[in-house]
Amino acid sequence: MPTHEYDVVVAGAGTAGCYAAATVANEGLDVVVVERKDEEEAGHIACGDALKGASAFPKSIPKSQIEPAFTNTDVDHGRFELPSQNTAVDIPVPGELAVIDRWEYGRRIIDGAKRAGADFHYETVINDVRQDEAGRVSGLEAKRNGSQVTYESEVVVDAAGALSLLQDKADFSDATFDTNVRYSQFCSAYREIIHVDEPVEYDDALVFKPTERAAGYLWYFPRTPTEINVGLGFQMNEEPMKLVESLRNDIHNRPEFENATVEDKLGAALPTRRPYDSAVAPGYVAVGDAAGHVNPTTGGGIAGAAYAGKYAADQAIEAISAGDVSESELWEYNERVMDHFGARYAALDVYNIFTTAYDVDDLTALLASVPMEKLSEALYSGSTDVGLWLKIKTLLKSAGHWGTILDLYRTKRLADDVLDHYESYPSSPDGFEAWQRERDTLLDRVYETTGAEPKY
């Protein structure tokens, strides 16, 4: 059985994996990316193609190298279609926004990691995780091109996506690594790339539309005025939804898609939950979707995954240099994630929990009455402040839904408390259990306020 020895082995050639590999290679360490797809298909990933934070990417892969995959940089707002209210509302999106060709982007980040010096092993299916007697992850077992192969390393970076197989295979019973992970915390999604003859009128917007149940939404994201990423996702804790049928029915009723042709179809699962409480174990770091690094209200996660890959690689390099790849040496990775976006995503997950407890018509009526700039602030920062006059205007516009408004206000205050708590994330594993207990107490109050079923 062939054995390959590397300083770092990365599982998965997505955004987080490629930025992790490029960061490691740029520092002169040996790194390999293990990818189950062949070289042609690598980078072909189901995605909504919307990119928030397009102006800020880690420099380990130069932005100039990926910019040609940005097909629409004129989008500047979201449009929420509310059929039950017979209206649509526009919500400004702060910061740089773009719609990308995800497959082209995938090829370019792979090329960027290769240029930095990373090796890529395609058509390699991981079967198991190697651990020593002390529980340190020391590599992977896989089948490459039909033959068994072993990878030995100082650190394994798990970039294998949502519900990563590696986490099922590894024994984390003595680690802080978050094993409180269930299918109910994820979303199932399906998307198509559709070409139309005439430009759509919303080529400067990301269009969202609620599904018949509050468990999901449809999206229409214009890559170009005539090439649209259309898709649908729903929470796995709800009754299954016929994704393809539901999407096709909605497309059929939209005049802009008459005589449209479908260029590509793909489905996937993605996390719609808070980031993992801890994404490290001895010799092991999880990144991107494999660590819940996705905005739980929108499903966006490309920029966060890129930075998670960089932060994981930075910490792996430091730990390898120190000759100590224990949790304590890798812990700063958790801190950097929580400081950058993890705290915000955890607060947003509170709103995600809120939506599971209410009827879709109540929620759309509420959406139609909320000040749009404040809603935008909440969606992207995890918190917002609504002044007295706006509160009064909202109440006047939302007669008949005041109970939901009151619950949302209470939930907003709890989301602020969660945000504050995550901003005090412990600086070492020693304070981790106490931090978790206090967080769980906050979440108990969220469930009590919303009446939602416990998610964790």
Side-chain angles (χ1 to χ4, degrees), residues 145-328:
N145 297 322
S147 300
Q148 293 297 130
V149 61
T150 295
Y151 293 89
E152 294 182 353
S153 65
E154 295 297 318
V155 174
V156 168
V157 176
D158 179 1
L163 300 166
S164 166
L165 172 71
L166 279 67
Q167 295 169 30
D168 291 333
K169 296 293 185 179
D171 180 4
F172 294 131
S173 57
D174 294 326
T176 61
F177 191 89
D178 195 343
T179 57
N180 183 14
V181 181
R182 306 288 182 271
Y183 277 93
S184 61
Q185 303 158 8
F186 289 74
C187 170
S188 181
Y190 170 78
R191 72 99 176 97
E192 297 178 350
I193 306 301
I194 288 184
H195 181 79
V196 295
D197 293 331
E198 298 295 327
V200 296
E201 59 89 17
Y202 47 79
D203 63 329
D204 61 346
L206 302 178
V207 178
F208 301 85
K209 180 180 179 180
T211 54
E212 293 180 0
R213 301 197 306 269
Y217 68 85
L218 296 131
W219 71 77
Y220 296 92
F221 296 168
R223 281 184 175 182
T224 73
T226 57
E227 187 178 73
I228 319 299
N229 182 312
V230 304
L232 180 152
F234 79 99
Q235 287 283 147
M236 290 186 184
N237 63 334
E238 298 288 335
E239 286 295 318
M241 186 180 295
K242 294 181 179 179
L243 294 178
V244 178
E245 181 180 321
S246 297
L247 180 62
R248 298 310 305 174
N249 287 341
D250 200 72
I251 290 172
H252 179 74
N253 292 321
R254 300 181 74 96
E256 71 267 32
F257 292 121
E258 186 177 1
N259 300 321
T261 57
V262 178
E263 299 175 352
D264 191 38
K265 303 177 181 181
L266 215 56
L270 69 154
T272 44
R273 52 155 290 153
R274 68 192 182 214
Y276 283 18
D277 291 357
S278 169
V280 303
Y284 187 93
V285 184
V287 294
D289 284 9
H293 294 159
V294 171
N295 183 322
T297 59
T298 66
I302 295 176
Y307 273 99
K310 171 186 163 42
Y311 296 155
D314 287 343
Q315 209 56 42
I317 292 164
E318 186 174 321
I320 291 169
S321 176
D324 179 3
V325 295
S326 65
E327 280 188 317
S328 295

Side-chain angles (χ1 to χ4, degrees), residues 294-437:
V294 171
N295 183 322
T297 59
T298 66
I302 295 176
Y307 273 99
K310 171 186 163 42
Y311 296 155
D314 287 343
Q315 209 56 42
I317 292 164
E318 186 174 321
I320 291 169
S321 176
D324 179 3
V325 295
S326 65
E327 280 188 317
S328 295
E329 285 299 315
L330 296 171
W331 190 261
E332 188 176 336
Y333 162 71
N334 283 335
E335 295 181 78
R336 294 181 75 182
V337 166
M338 295 304 183
D339 180 64
H340 186 165
F341 59 83
R344 178 164 52 94
Y345 286 1
L348 288 169
D349 190 41
V350 173
Y351 294 106
N352 202 26
I353 292 169
F354 171 86
T355 64
T356 67
Y358 294 89
D359 180 78
V360 66
D361 288 340
D362 278 343
L363 293 174
T364 54
L366 180 62
L367 186 61
S369 66
V370 172
M372 289 301 102
E373 288 188 5
K374 293 301 179 181
L375 180 58
S376 174
E377 185 181 333
L379 281 173
Y380 293 101
S381 71
S383 180
T384 187
D385 180 43
V386 179
L388 177 61
W389 175 236
L390 286 178
K391 291 176 184 175
I392 293 171
K393 288 174 65 177
T394 299
L395 286 172
L396 291 174
K397 289 175 65 178
S398 57
H401 301 277
W402 289 351
T404 308
I405 286 280
L406 179 59
D407 287 346
L408 177 60
Y409 175 70
R410 291 169 174 165
T411 301
K412 181 265 179 192
R413 297 185 67 177
L414 290 170
D416 289 347
D417 291 342
V418 168
L419 181 65
D420 289 343
H421 183 62
Y422 270 77
E423 288 176 344
S424 300
Y425 188 83
S427 58
S428 75
D430 294 340
F432 184 60
E433 288 188 9
W435 178 88
Q436 280 186 312
R437 285 195 298 271

Side-chain angles (χ1 to χ4, degrees), residues 118-157:
D119 291 340
F120 278 75
H121 287 186
Y122 300 104
E123 297 182 77
T124 304
V125 179
I126 297 167
N127 298 321
D128 209 349
V129 173
R130 294 172 61 87
Q131 288 180 273
D132 63 22
E133 293 181 356
R136 179 182 76 85
V137 174
S138 58
L140 301 172
E141 300 286 352
K143 181 174 284 188
R144 184 185 182 202
N145 297 322
S147 300
Q148 293 297 130
V149 61
T150 295
Y151 293 89
E152 294 182 353
S153 65
E154 295 297 318
V155 174
V156 168
V157 176

Side-chain angles (χ1 to χ4, degrees), residues 39-51:
E39 188 168 2
E40 174 64 22
E41 278 289 312
H44 188 201
I45 295 172
C47 180
D49 292 350
L51 173 58

